[in-house]
Amino acid sequence: MGGVKNYFLRCILCGAEYDPAPMYVCDDCGGLLEVVMDLPSSKFFSRIVDRPWYMWRYRELLPLGSGSRIVSLWEGGTRLFNLSVEDGLSLYIKLEGDNPTGSFKDRGMSLGVSKALEYGFSKVACASTGNTSASMAAYAARAGLEALVFLPRGKVARGKLFQAVAHGARIVEVDGSFDDAFKMVRRHVSESSDLYLLNSINPYRLEGQKTIAYEIYEALSNAPDYVIVPVGNAGNIYAIWKGFFELVEMGVIDDVPRMIGVQASGAAPMVHFFRNGTYRPVEAPETLATAIRIGNPVNRDKAMKAVKFSGGWFSSVSDRDILSAQLDIARRYGLLVEPASAAPYAYFRSNIDLFKGSVVLISTGHGLKDPDILKYWSEYGLI
Ligand code: F0G
């Protein structure tokens, strides 16, 4: 166990506080837990300018004991591309496909797997629509831990399954959706004291992902006006918002950007929750953007907090719009992103009048992960 702790865990529903521990939900009320950091002053960012451009340049803002081993594959430091500047509107895309296994999950897994070692676990587990399992398998291999992944059978993009197998994960295919696989892994973890759960219900994983916000701030020297994020299990949108919120707390920026969550129309429980105030899971989620084919997002309360607090909103786009946006990004800008990662652009380009100032689209994963999508481009008459 390493060094001085400058953070603790707090329940987002009842406010109960806990010393750092490998826990996932509040013992009192079952609410999600968030990490509360003792933040440095606003001078922090001027002190780190010469550090390497990867996630661990923000070491002091990440909840890992000072003597603990960092499990890194050189994640973070991804490109922020300026796509256009027109009529007072600057459009950027943050390319998380630049990460070692090709998605933003690597940020969370670098910290999450480091925590698994710090806490003395020998095995890590997750349910996944693909990217989480690919990333966890790679980081577990790096750390010398066993990896166990639960995947919805037939619904994981081939590149992602290929990665999990290559890195030596033990794979359990589940007949059902991601939500069924997630239930199964939670049951497994509750029955084993040696298995650390690395889905985004794990509060530490999201701490790794909050570094997306720090990088955007450093690249633009300010917060953008809007950040648009594809939403599945609804952890990443909260993580990015939390990163910006910490920058406000440190006195580095004045306001958080408006956070806009985009779901696929066949898997959009957050849109209904946002518009009607009542939460209803989608029983049989369906979309060709398999990364976000999730009907019962575990981080719904965190995501709602982030979106409402920031003055943002949730919306959805059709599969056709997603695929046509994916091709548009590929052909107009030379950037290949996976289908889920094209959802923010699909939403932006049909609602451009809503935006002014600066907009950052979060492109969550690399296009090469899902080459089978080619047949749907053709079925939809897009090529
Ligand atoms: N984009 C991609 C490419 C993803 O893989 C995911 C989630 C998301 C967006 C949504 O992020 O869940 O934090 O709202 N993929 C998970 C997985 C569920 O298992 O790989 P979220």
Side-chain angles (χ1 to χ4, degrees):
M1 300 270 154
V4 180
K5 304 279 189 299
N6 61 338
Y7 57 92
F8 61 92
L9 300 174
R10 185 172 62 201
C11 172
I12 67 157
L13 294 184
C14 76
E17 294 181 1
Y18 300 93
D19 284 336
M23 28 186 324
Y24 311 107
V25 292
C26 177
D27 282 345
D28 289 345
C29 76
L32 296 169
L33 299 173
E34 64 187 352
V35 177
V36 184
M37 295 293 303
D38 185 7
L39 296 166
S41 81
S42 61
K43 294 200 187 70
F44 175 77
F45 285 92
S46 57
R47 285 203 305 270
I48 66 166
V49 284
D50 293 330
R51 290 189 187 174
W53 183 235
Y54 81 137
M55 175 181 126
W56 290 96
R57 72 195 260 108
Y58 310 114
R59 176 74 182 83
E60 294 85 343
L61 303 175
L62 295 170
L64 187 69
S66 54
S68 298
R69 173 176 163 201
I70 293 174
V71 181
S72 175
L73 294 168
W74 210 264
E75 49 294 315
T78 58
R79 287 168 292 169
L80 182 72
F81 247 86
N82 184 218
L83 296 183
S84 64
V85 186
E86 269 167 45
D87 303 329
L89 185 63
S90 302
L91 180 64
Y92 299 87
I93 190 163
K94 179 78 169 154
L95 290 167
E96 288 297 291
D98 282 356
N99 277 297
T101 77
S103 84
F104 69 99
K105 308 284 181 179
D106 292 346
R107 298 174 187 267
M109 286 302 168
S110 179
L111 183 58
V113 171
S114 301
K115 293 303 284 184
L117 287 185
E118 185 179 77
Y119 288 133
F121 287 94
S122 64
K123 298 178 195 158
V124 288
C126 69
S128 182
T129 58
N131 281 322
T132 297
S133 57
S135 180
M136 191 187 79
Y139 282 82
R142 183 74 175 183
L145 300 178
E146 276 179 46
L148 174 63
V149 307
F150 292 76
L151 302 177
R153 190 191 303 278
K155 296 293 183 182
V156 171
R158 220 154 27 113
K160 302 173 187 178
L161 186 59
F162 169 71
Q163 288 177 289
V165 173
H167 293 300
R170 192 148 68 83
I171 292 170
V172 179
E173 291 195 289
V174 177
D175 291 313
S177 66
F178 166 87
D179 306 292
D180 300 309
F182 185 57
K183 259 189 235 153
M184 206 171 278
V185 75
R186 284 191 79 176
R187 197 165 54 240
H188 243 75
V189 167
S190 70
E191 288 164 2
S192 159
S193 60
D194 195 25
L195 205 49
Y196 193 42
L197 181 59
L198 282 178
N199 277 102
S200 52
I201 193 170
N202 183 318
Y204 296 120
R205 238 204 60 198
L206 297 180
E207 290 295 295
Q209 292 167 210
K210 76 182 178 183
T211 57
I212 293 174
Y214 302 158
E215 287 182 11
I216 294 171
Y217 158 71
E218 283 207 279
L220 300 180
S221 303
N222 206 344
D225 295 297
Y226 302 87
V227 175
I228 315 184
V229 190
V231 170
N233 219 12
N236 202 35
I237 191 166
Y238 163 84
I240 298 171
W241 168 79
K242 184 172 190 278
F244 282 114
F245 186 67
E246 288 179 350
L247 296 176
V248 172
E249 287 185 303
M250 289 164 71
V252 172
I253 56 173
D254 293 332
D255 274 317
V256 294
R258 287 180 198 268
M259 303 296 303
I260 297 156
V262 183
Q263 299 202 285
S265 49
M270 293 307 295
V271 179
H272 184 271
F273 189 18
F274 182 76
R275 291 190 183 147
N276 305 303
T278 50
Y279 177 70
R280 230 183 28 217
V282 171
E283 292 305 330
E286 216 35 271
T287 169
L288 293 173
T290 51
I292 51 172
R293 185 175 168 273
I294 293 178
N296 190 17
V298 72
N299 291 297
R300 55 185 172 270
D301 293 330
K302 281 187 170 176
M304 193 56 76
K305 173 176 162 176
V307 164
K308 283 201 167 153
F309 184 93
S310 73
W313 60 90
F314 286 97
S315 196
S316 62
V317 287
S318 68
D319 278 4
R320 163 177 268 282
D321 286 346
I322 288 175
L323 297 192
S324 119
Q326 184 189 21
L327 275 174
D328 204 11
I329 299 168
R331 294 180 172 192
R332 197 185 285 237
Y333 304 112
L335 302 170
L336 190 56
V337 305
E338 69 167 281
S341 303
Y345 185 69
Y347 179 75
F348 172 81
R349 86 180 169 166
S350 12
N351 295 279
I352 199 156
D353 294 344
L354 297 177
F355 298 96
K356 59 177 188 302
S358 50
V359 179
V360 175
L361 311 172
I362 307 294
S363 170
T364 43
H366 202 289
L368 283 172
K369 283 177 173 267
D370 194 0
D372 295 327
I373 212 69
L374 178 65
K375 86 168 172 272
Y376 296 105
W377 290 344
S378 143
E379 262 178 38
Y380 276 87
L382 298 167
I383 53 171

